[in-house]
């Protein structure tokens, strides 16, 4: 079980696999008013930066599940680096359908709502691991401004304009699902730049170190095209945020 190899190549040097900075992650933790001993479940936990830093800074107890073998190992190493290996557990596995035996005060899926077939299904999945009065976190893209054509949407790596909503519509959609939006932290352009541009040096270094690998042509093409694509499309049209929800 693993994610497609191209992602472990391009994001192998990332600590955060979303367009959000460490400072924004800290802001999110503070905004949620996390208390020592609070239990946090993170489905699609990546390299574990959210759980590890929150364990260090706020004293939470965390469990993360991710299907990337590399990212899970990186998460475990990060927990050791920050001295929180006794507070956070990282499991290599399929987060889709995962339900915690012990209820969590915060149940999160930050940037991987495909595990539940979309936002609605992911919220339903997270709710099954949530204690009464707990908070659900979802990280989701939205249109900063509506793309003028379907080709522009595809330039943002969306399948179609209809894949994402404008921010007011996304916030309203949570209400339609029976949830109050109680907090949000939105990525800024610096967060987007750090997430996207950091891939380019990683790809270049990988190409230099792996000239005979079967994915050389794919990685070379991606490195050539990604800076222009990102600057033309994603940076101009696509937003991203983490939204905190409580059931009505």
């Amino acid at each position: 079980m693993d994610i497609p190899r191209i992602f472990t190549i391009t994001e192998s040097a990332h600590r955060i696999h979303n367009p959000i900075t460490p400072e924004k992650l800290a802001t999110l933790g503070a905004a949620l008013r996390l208390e020592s001993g609070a239990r946090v479940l993170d489905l699609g936990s990546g390299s574990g930066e959210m759980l590890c830093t929150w364990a260090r800074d706020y004293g939470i107890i965390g469990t993360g599940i991710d299907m990337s073998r590399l990212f899970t190992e990186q998460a475990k190493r990060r927990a050791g680096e920050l001295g929180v290996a006794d507070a956070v557990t990282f499991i290599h596995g399929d987060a889709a359908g995962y339900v915690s035996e012990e209820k969590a005060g915060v149940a999160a899926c930050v940037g991987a709502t495909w595990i539940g077939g979309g936002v609605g299904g992911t919220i339903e999945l997270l709710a099954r691991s949530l204690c009464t009065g707990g908070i659900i976190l979802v990280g989701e893209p939205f249109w900063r401004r509506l793309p003028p054509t379907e080709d522009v949407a595809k330039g943002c790596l969306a399948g179609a304009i209809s894949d994402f909503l404008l921010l007011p519509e996304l916030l309203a959609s949570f209400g339609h699902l029976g949830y109050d939006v109680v907090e949000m932290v939105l990525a800024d352009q610096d967060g987007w730049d750090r997430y996207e541009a950091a891939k380019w040096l990683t790809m270049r270094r990988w190409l230099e170190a792996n000239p005979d690998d079967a994915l050389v042509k794919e990685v070379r093409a991606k490195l050539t095209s990604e800076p222009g694509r990102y600057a033309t499309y994603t940076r101009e049209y696509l937003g991203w945020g983490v939204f905190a929800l409580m059931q009505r």
Side-chain angles (χ1 to χ4, degrees):
M1 178 186 298
D2 214 331
I3 61 175
R5 188 165 168 246
I6 188 65
F7 294 109
T8 59
I9 292 172
T10 60
E11 298 190 25
S12 60
H14 283 52
R15 282 185 174 168
I16 303 171
H17 303 280
N18 290 300
I20 189 170
T21 61
E23 294 77 16
K24 291 273 189 177
L25 271 186
T27 295
L28 177 61
L32 295 176
R33 307 170 197 176
L34 294 170
E35 297 181 355
S36 180
R39 188 169 297 278
V40 180
L41 174 69
D42 188 9
L43 301 186
S45 50
S47 294
E49 191 71 2
M50 185 175 80
L51 290 182
C52 289
T53 55
W54 285 3
R56 177 196 64 192
D57 297 340
Y58 306 113
I60 63 100
I61 298 168
T63 301
I65 298 91
D66 199 276
M67 67 187 302
S68 168
R69 192 176 301 277
L70 172 64
F71 296 163
T72 302
E73 289 305 313
Q74 290 178 336
K76 293 176 181 178
R77 287 198 298 271
R78 185 62 169 155
E81 291 171 2
L82 297 186
V84 296
D86 58 340
V88 291
T89 300
F90 293 101
I91 300 168
H92 174 239
D94 189 356
Y98 184 91
V99 177
S100 175
E101 292 183 4
E102 191 164 2
K103 300 295 184 183
V106 177
C109 179
V110 179
T113 56
W114 51 267
I115 68 169
V119 173
T122 300
I123 289 173
E124 288 182 9
L125 173 61
L126 292 170
R128 296 170 62 190
S129 296
L130 196 67
C131 66
T132 302
I135 291 175
I136 284 175
L137 291 182
V138 291
E140 187 69 7
F142 57 88
W143 294 123
R144 294 178 59 233
R145 55 193 178 103
L146 209 60
T149 67
E150 295 291 349
D151 283 343
V152 171
K154 290 176 181 177
C156 298
L157 304 184
I161 294 173
S162 60
D163 280 3
F164 305 128
L165 301 171
L166 292 165
L167 181 58
E169 296 169 348
L170 178 59
L171 294 174
S173 74
F174 296 131
H176 299 328
L177 293 171
Y179 286 83
D180 288 321
V181 181
V182 297
E183 258 295 357
M184 69 178 187
V185 174
L186 304 183
D188 56 21
Q189 286 199 321
D190 182 58
W192 271 109
D193 291 348
R194 291 302 82 237
Y195 172 59
E196 293 288 349
K199 300 175 187 177
W200 308 338
L201 181 57
T202 300
M203 286 191 280
R204 177 55 189 264
R205 295 288 190 237
W206 183 90
L207 286 168
E208 293 170 350
N210 300 275
D212 299 320
D213 193 279
L215 285 186
V216 161
K217 286 186 178 180
E218 182 177 350
V219 175
R220 177 70 257 177
K222 200 171 187 68
L223 176 57
T224 300
S225 63
E226 275 298 285
R229 183 206 63 76
Y230 167 64
T232 302
Y233 299 110
T234 300
R235 198 173 195 272
E236 294 300 310
Y237 290 94
L238 199 60
W240 190 88
V242 184
F243 305 92
L245 313 174
M246 295 182 71
Q247 191 168 25
R248 289 177 178 169

